[in-house]
Amino acid sequence: MKPDTDAMAPLNLGDLDLTTDEFILDEVDSKSFSIIPLTNLFSPPSFLLSLFLSLSLSLSPPFPSLSLQRMEGMLSGFQSDLSSISSEIQTLQQQSVSMNMRLKNRQAVRSHLSQLVDELVVPGAMIQVILESPVTEQEFLEQLHELNNKINFAKELSFRETLACSDIQDIVDRLKIKAVTKIREFILQKIYSFRKPMTNYQIPQNTLLKYRFFYQFLLANERTVAKEIRDEYVDTMSKIYYSYFKSYSGRLLKVQYEEVADKDDLMGVEDTAKKGFFSKPSLKSRNTIFTLGQRGAVLSPAELEGPILIPHTAQRGDCRYPYETLFRSQHYALLDNGCREFLFLSDFFMVAGNSALDLFNSVMGKTLSLFLKSMSTYVSDCYDSIAVFLCIHIILRFRAITNKRTIPALDKYWDAVLELLWPRFELILEMNIQSIRNTDPQKLGVLDTRPHYRANPHPPWPTSVGILQLVEVENFVLKMAAEFPSRRDQLIFLINNYDMMLSVLMERAADDSKEVEGFQQLLQARSQEFIEEILSSPFGGMIAFVKESEALTEKGQLDRLKNDEARITQLVRGFSSTWKQSVEALSQDVMRSFTNFKNGTGIIQGALTQLIQYYHGFHKVLAQPTFRSLAVRSELINLHHLMVEVKKHKPNF
């Protein structure tokens, strides 16, 4: 009996067991079936149809219809399963992307929350260090930085109205109060240590700079305490500087020269001027205020920035100093302390610009006012122009030093001092110039031919004032020279004073300046006139005869002297017998008359050279036809022999 194929249930691919004997695919070409790529199972139905056809041809003939039906059902189920797998894969991919996004969000939130939690948590180590450790410990400073960060973070959260901030606000505030209290006590203790006698306040200042963050912490978290500390420091240091400089300035004045210039110590004031019973005696040596000497050494770099004077040491050594030396020491101490104080204030109190200058003036204002008051008192009664001028130069150079250090704190003080000194300097010069104009040489007492201190030009004043003074001094020298009765003494006085003035000018002015050139011409002219003057006494007759003969020779009238044989004989024999003694006396007289040996040597050499020239002229006159027959010509000294002998009398200086 044939089986009923129509009633057979459809074959389900999931119910098919290909390994049983009921369904054997031995007849199928296994090679053609195995080569089907797995990816083609997801291909369109056209490909599946062709696959069915190829498989149907491979099946054995007894079961074509049944095989196709079963295969169709198997493949339809397989396709359905694959579709469901594909949708599940897509679902899984979407879930994976969503989970990845949630993971990233959670990680970001966790990072932010962990930082927030870290900032909100107050470690026990911080609490212990802030409460128990000394402020000088490094761990206290480190925990103070951390506390400052937590305080700032708590403020930021409070602005955002974060509820978690309230959990730590109380403990942070307590730690802040404790830290502020300890820092306040530490800084005030250091400031109070400045007040101890003989304390080097630079040491506690350096200590405070090591803990400059303390003041920064106070300024950020407790401005009232910060202001208290700042005011206490300003008050303390202001009193310390004032006391120190007041004491130092007073002790410096004890080592100043007792003899100082007054209104009667001007260049043109007579030495014999009468003074009242209660008036101060005049200077023993008035030329000290009219000559620079070694006083200018105070401007040398070595002394300008050298150590300050120690008054008690100078007193033990009985040393005395001019005012400009004391002024230099006083203001170098001010410069050194002022620069250091300005840098400390800017660094520790964290100020700059005008705020730094205002704070500096709060500390040093009283001291600077003390200095200005002292300067005003001195200047009002000062008549020493050299001292004032040197003080001006000291201030100018100290101002250059502060500019080089980029410290503007003392600029206004330097300007104020210069405003005091310059007008007084100009006034003193005007007074001296006017006194020279009004000087009566007859009231100057006994005069001698040596250089007069009034003829000494001052150091290099400003050009216009210096030239005016130089002109007045030259006029003064001429008036004084006119007081000598003999021309010889007048010339000696002029030469000595011109030489002194020229030497001073050449030290402080260019060699080719008009002033130097003018005095060189004056000195040369007066020296030549003096040479003629000293030769006229022992050799005046011969010189007059030579000049007269030369004049007549030019006119062709030399025969007019033909009858002067007796005169010529006397001149020849007189020169031969006395010239050596005369030259020796001349040399000694010149060297006694001039204070500058070099100048005296030049005059002697000029005089001997001029003498030889005159005697050579005497030879030439007697060699003329008019006098060739004179027998006395044989007694003339050989000119070469005379030159050799004269050289023996040249001084060796």
Side-chain angles (χ1 to χ4, degrees):
M1 183 174 178
K2 294 181 182 179
D4 189 2
T5 58
D6 297 332
M8 186 178 295
L11 181 62
N12 189 358
L13 184 61
D15 299 332
L16 181 61
D17 186 2
L18 298 179
T19 61
T20 64
D21 295 335
E22 296 179 355
F23 192 82
I24 301 175
L25 297 178
D26 292 339
E27 293 83 6
V28 181
D29 187 355
S30 60
K31 293 183 179 179
S32 61
F33 183 80
S34 62
I35 63 173
I36 300 174
L38 180 60
T39 55
N40 291 340
L41 296 177
F42 300 95
S43 300
S46 58
F47 172 77
L48 296 175
L49 181 59
S50 62
L51 177 62
F52 296 155
L53 293 174
S54 62
L55 289 175
S56 64
L57 294 175
S58 302
L59 295 175
S60 57
F63 308 100
S65 176
L66 177 61
S67 299
L68 290 175
Q69 289 178 356
R70 290 182 177 180
M71 182 60 68
E72 180 181 5
M74 180 181 63
L75 293 177
S76 297
F78 185 58
Q79 183 179 10
S80 176
D81 292 339
L82 290 178
S83 297
S84 64
I85 291 174
S86 176
S87 63
E88 290 179 0
I89 290 175
Q90 292 178 356
T91 302
L92 291 175
Q93 288 179 342
Q94 293 175 356
Q95 291 177 352
S96 175
V97 172
S98 176
M99 292 175 64
N100 187 40
M101 182 63 66
R102 289 197 299 269
L103 177 62
K104 289 183 178 179
N105 291 338
R106 289 181 179 180
Q107 289 177 343
V109 171
R110 180 180 180 181
S111 174
H112 182 73
L113 289 177
S114 63
Q115 181 181 359
L116 177 63
V117 172
D118 290 341
E119 293 292 346
L120 289 175
V121 172
V122 180
M126 175 186 291
I127 298 174
Q128 182 179 3
V129 170
I130 295 296
L131 294 178
E132 299 178 2
S133 295
V135 296
T136 55
E137 295 292 335
Q138 181 63 26
E139 59 179 357
F140 181 87
L141 186 60
E142 294 174 356
Q143 293 299 332
L144 188 66
H145 277 278
E146 291 297 326
L147 177 60
N148 189 57
N149 293 335
K150 292 187 181 297
I151 293 173
N152 294 333
F153 189 74
K155 291 179 181 178
E156 182 180 352
L157 292 181
S158 65
F159 292 147
R160 299 178 183 177
E161 299 181 355
T162 304
L163 297 178
C165 177
S166 60
D167 295 339
I168 65 165
Q169 190 65 49
D170 182 61
I171 188 170
V172 168
D173 289 342
R174 292 184 180 183
L175 288 176
K176 181 182 74 172
I177 293 173
K178 183 62 177 179
V180 168
T181 303
K182 295 177 70 173
I183 291 173
R184 175 182 177 275
E185 292 177 356
F186 171 75
I187 296 179
L188 289 179
Q189 182 183 6
K190 290 298 179 184
I191 294 175
Y192 294 151
S193 67
F194 296 166
R195 302 176 181 179
K196 296 179 181 179
M198 306 300 293
T199 298
N200 184 0
Y201 55 85
Q202 296 174 12
I203 296 177
Q205 274 186 339
N206 294 333
T207 303
L208 288 176
L209 286 177
K210 291 172 57 179
Y211 303 103
R212 61 174 63 86
F213 180 73
F214 288 173
Y215 185 79
Q216 182 180 348
F217 180 83
L218 294 177
L219 195 62
N221 300 288
E222 198 63 49
R223 287 186 172 271
T224 304
V225 177
K227 184 178 184 303
E228 177 191 5
I229 288 177
R230 176 170 166 170
D231 293 344
E232 193 67 31
Y233 178 85
V234 169
D235 182 66
T236 299
M237 292 307 298
S238 177
K239 293 178 180 178
I240 288 175
Y241 281 125
Y242 181 82
S243 175
Y244 166 74
F245 279 106
K246 182 179 181 181
S247 174
Y248 182 67
S249 300
R251 285 181 287 143
L252 277 180
L253 293 178
K254 294 181 180 180
V255 295
Q256 184 182 2
Y257 281 135
E258 295 180 356
E259 297 179 347
V260 295
D262 59 18
K263 62 181 179 179
D264 293 319
D265 292 313
L266 300 175
M267 294 185 69
V269 175
E270 296 83 0
D271 295 336
T272 57
K274 294 182 179 180
K275 298 184 179 181
F277 181 78
F278 295 102
S279 61
K280 182 178 61 177
S282 180
L283 292 178
K284 296 179 181 178
S285 180
R286 296 181 66 190
N287 61 345
T288 57
I289 62 173
F290 301 126
T291 55
L292 185 62
Q294 297 299 319
R295 297 175 69 180
V298 72
L299 299 178
S300 63
E303 188 166 342
L304 187 69
E305 299 185 52
I308 63 174
L309 293 177
I310 309 299
H312 62 271
T313 303
Q315 284 181 308
R316 284 202 301 266
D318 198 22
C319 298
R320 292 291 183 268
Y321 302 94
Y323 180 79
E324 62 272 9
T325 301
L326 309 181
F327 181 87
R328 195 276 326 169
S329 182
Q330 181 187 45
H331 282 78
Y332 188 69
L334 175 66
L335 181 149
D336 189 46
N337 285 274
C339 290
R340 185 182 294 107
E341 185 63 28
F342 181 79
L343 292 175
F344 173 82
L345 294 174
S346 301
D347 195 0
F348 185 78
F349 291 103
M350 298 179 297
V351 291
N354 292 331
S355 299
L357 294 177
D358 292 341
L359 184 58
F360 177 83
N361 290 330
S362 299
V363 174
M364 300 294 293
K366 291 178 62 177
T367 301
L368 298 181
S369 298
L370 173 69
F371 273 39
L372 290 175
K373 183 178 180 181
S374 175
M375 281 297 304
S376 179
T377 303
Y378 169 78
V379 166
S380 63
D381 195 37
C382 176
Y383 295 89
D384 187 352
S385 58
I386 293 180
V388 177
F389 190 70
L390 290 175
C391 289
I392 290 174
H393 268 278
I394 290 171
I395 293 297
L396 292 175
R397 300 192 184 193
F398 282 171
R399 184 168 66 178
I401 292 174
T402 55
N403 290 338
K404 186 177 180 181
R405 297 181 183 179
T406 63
I407 304 294
L410 293 171
D411 287 352
K412 290 185 178 180
Y413 174 76
W414 301 140
D415 294 339
V417 174
L418 292 177
E419 289 176 1
L420 286 173
L421 294 176
W422 273 119
R424 187 64 186 182
F425 170 71
E426 294 174 356
L427 176 63
I428 296 173
L429 281 188
E430 289 293 336
M431 294 173 65
N432 277 282
I433 292 173
Q434 190 61 39
S435 69
I436 292 174
R437 290 173 181 168
N438 300 334
T439 297
D440 184 358
Q442 294 180 354
K443 297 181 180 180
L444 295 179
V446 179
L447 299 178
D448 57 36
T449 57
R450 292 176 298 177
H452 200 279
Y453 67 86
R454 290 185 175 89
N456 183 18
H458 276 48
W461 308 137
T463 306
S464 58
V465 179
I467 293 176
L468 177 61
Q469 186 192 24
L470 205 57
V471 172
E472 295 299 333
V473 169
E474 182 183 353
N475 294 335
F476 170 76
V477 170
L478 291 174
K479 287 196 297 184
M480 292 188 64
E483 295 299 314
F484 291 94
S486 67
R487 183 58 181 169
R488 175 182 175 279
D489 289 341
Q490 291 177 1
L491 291 173
I492 293 175
F493 179 81
L494 290 174
I495 292 172
N496 278 330
N497 283 277
Y498 286 160
D499 178 66
M500 177 189 67
M501 296 168 71
L502 182 61
S503 62
V504 173
L505 286 174
M506 291 182 67
E507 289 178 0
R508 317 192 190 286
D511 294 343
D512 56 350
S513 65
K514 293 182 180 180
E515 293 79 14
V516 172
E517 184 179 354
F519 275 97
Q520 285 176 337
Q521 293 175 356
L522 287 173
L523 179 61
Q524 184 177 0
R526 299 290 81 78
S527 297
Q528 188 60 39
E529 185 179 355
F530 179 75
I531 288 173
E532 296 290 339
E533 182 71 22
I534 59 176
L535 290 178
S536 63
S537 178
F539 309 109
M542 181 192 68
I543 293 173
F545 178 78
V546 170
K547 291 181 177 180
E548 182 181 359
S549 300
E550 290 177 349
L552 292 175
T553 301
E554 291 179 358
K555 299 177 181 180
Q557 301 175 358
L558 189 60
D559 292 341
R560 294 175 56 181
L561 300 176
K562 182 171 56 176
N563 298 325
D564 288 347
E565 181 178 353
R567 177 186 176 189
I568 295 173
T569 301
Q570 182 181 1
L571 292 175
V572 171
R573 291 175 179 173
F575 183 85
S576 299
S577 60
T578 62
W579 74 269
K580 289 186 178 181
Q581 296 86 345
S582 298
V583 168
E584 182 67 26
L586 180 148
S587 299
Q588 294 179 1
D589 182 42
V590 169
M591 296 310 297
R592 285 193 302 266
S593 300
F594 298 101
T595 55
N596 185 348
F597 287 163
K598 182 179 180 180
N599 187 39
T601 301
I603 291 176
I604 292 176
Q605 291 178 351
L608 296 179
T609 301
Q610 189 66 30
L611 175 62
I612 292 174
Q613 289 179 353
Y614 280 133
Y615 199 69
H616 178 62
F618 190 54
H619 267 260
K620 289 176 63 178
V621 170
L622 296 185
Q624 296 294 325
T626 305
F627 305 110
R628 285 179 182 173
S629 60
L630 295 178
V632 76
R633 289 183 66 248
S634 61
E635 299 180 21
L636 287 172
I637 299 175
N638 182 272
L639 191 61
H640 178 71
H641 175 70
L642 178 64
M643 294 175 63
V644 172
E645 291 295 326
V646 163
K647 286 182 180 180
K648 297 178 181 180
H649 292 274
K650 288 185 178 181
N652 298 319
F653 292 104

